[in-house]
Amino acid sequence: MTRLPLLGLAGVLFAVPAGAQTTPADSMMTDSTAMMADTTVVRMVDTARADALNTQAVAAEGRDFAAALALYDQALVADPTYPPALLGRGNMLSQLGRNAEALPSYEAAAAAAAERGSTFAAVGRSATEYAGIVTGILEQQAAADRLAAEQNATVAEQTAAVEAQTAAIEAASGFLATDPLTPEAAQQAYDQLELARSAGYDANLLAFSYAKALNALTRGAEALPFAQQALEASTEEDKSAYYIQVGIANRYAGNDAAARDAFTQAKAGSWAGWADFYLADMGPVPTP
């Protein structure tokens, strides 16, 4: 928490003019008001006591901010608009990291100093200066809080997106692992893949899954780009599973020659049995 620098004279000592120690709160009381004194509570301002407590508070500042604050508060009970006590109270609140509370105390000190004359001009200038400093601190803190909130929101959104992607991909993998892969399971897998993509996952990284799901739905023309991409991106030595998907996609897309070629390529790997099955299912190569 940013605090206002505590200057050498953070508290201000003042000598109270003789004869001004204890006065009614409203020194301009009219005769008619005075006549009502028996039914109206008149709050007395004890400036002398406020000044004495202010002196004690200044002395306490160096060892205990909270104790000094309590003394300033007591001084302001005696004289609610005593400028040095308002200024000192603002200083202690700032030192305690309570700048939002310090600001109105500084503003009150500046206003009271202006109202009570040139004796408190220095207090007024200090209060105005410190009010500006504290305002800047509060604005910086507010900006930092907004930035932190935005960053937290971004992190939360990213975390939620990753969780949604992960859940969708796991669900799609589960549907695609069913044997036999029914059109219903393939559709559910495809829907989950689309959820992952809408949550920000790169569909290119799911090319094989898309190809398998779309082939199971006999949507070969849509499956073909994914199947080819999965084949090209594969770093595995045995690419027979990829050639199978390329072959199925070409077959549903009406590209029989390309399908035969892909199935023939698949015969070199662990999916050779399926390659033979699909080639046999396609029948002999047509005679030109």
Side-chain angles (χ1 to χ4, degrees):
M1 182 68 71
T2 305
R3 298 179 174 83
L4 195 66
L6 184 59
L7 304 184
L9 292 177
V12 182
L13 299 177
F14 276 85
V16 180
Q21 286 83 357
T22 304
T23 59
D26 185 357
S27 58
M28 301 300 292
M29 186 184 299
T30 62
D31 291 342
S32 60
T33 303
M35 293 173 62
M36 298 172 60
D38 59 334
T39 58
T40 303
V41 176
V42 178
R43 177 172 53 81
M44 302 303 292
V45 174
D46 191 343
T47 304
R49 175 169 172 74
D51 185 68
L53 289 165
N54 186 78
T55 300
Q56 295 177 41
V58 171
E61 286 182 359
R63 61 179 185 274
D64 190 336
F65 296 145
L69 175 61
L71 288 167
Y72 282 126
D73 284 338
Q74 291 177 41
L76 291 169
V77 171
D79 186 343
T81 62
Y82 190 53
L86 287 167
L87 175 61
R89 181 176 186 275
N91 288 341
M92 293 305 95
L93 286 168
S94 181
Q95 292 302 312
L96 292 168
R98 296 159 60 182
N99 286 313
E101 298 173 70
L103 180 57
S105 192
Y106 286 135
E107 292 172 340
E115 184 175 343
R116 293 176 71 151
S118 59
T119 301
F120 299 105
V123 173
R125 288 192 296 270
S126 294
T128 299
E129 177 186 357
Y130 293 169
I133 294 172
V134 166
T135 296
I137 291 171
L138 291 172
E139 290 174 349
Q140 291 175 359
Q141 185 60 54
D145 290 345
R146 287 194 297 272
L147 178 59
E150 291 170 0
Q151 292 174 336
N152 289 337
T154 299
V155 170
E157 290 174 1
Q158 292 172 342
T159 300
V162 170
E163 290 175 350
Q165 294 166 11
T166 301
I169 293 169
E170 290 178 351
S173 298
F175 287 122
L176 291 174
T178 58
D179 187 18
L181 178 57
T182 64
E184 292 77 17
Q187 183 63 57
Q188 289 177 306
Y190 178 79
D191 292 342
Q192 291 298 319
L193 293 172
E194 288 291 271
L195 283 176
R197 177 158 60 175
S198 67
Y201 199 82
D202 186 355
N204 293 328
L205 301 177
L206 299 170
F208 185 81
S209 296
Y210 266 107
K212 187 174 182 180
L214 289 167
N215 276 334
L217 294 169
T218 68
R219 292 161 59 178
E222 295 175 68
L224 186 57
F226 287 110
Q228 291 174 329
Q229 181 180 354
L231 174 62
E232 293 169 3
S234 171
T235 58
E236 300 170 36
E237 184 176 348
D238 182 357
K239 301 182 186 295
S240 60
Y242 299 93
Y243 278 115
I244 290 292
Q245 294 302 324
V246 171
I248 295 172
N250 273 302
R251 188 177 181 189
Y252 283 133
N255 307 321
D256 284 357
R260 290 179 187 277
D261 182 64
F263 291 140
T264 300
Q265 293 284 347
K267 292 180 67 173
S270 60
W271 283 67
W274 281 104
D276 289 334
F277 169 81
Y278 284 119
L279 286 169
D281 189 57
M282 291 182 72
V285 178
T287 303

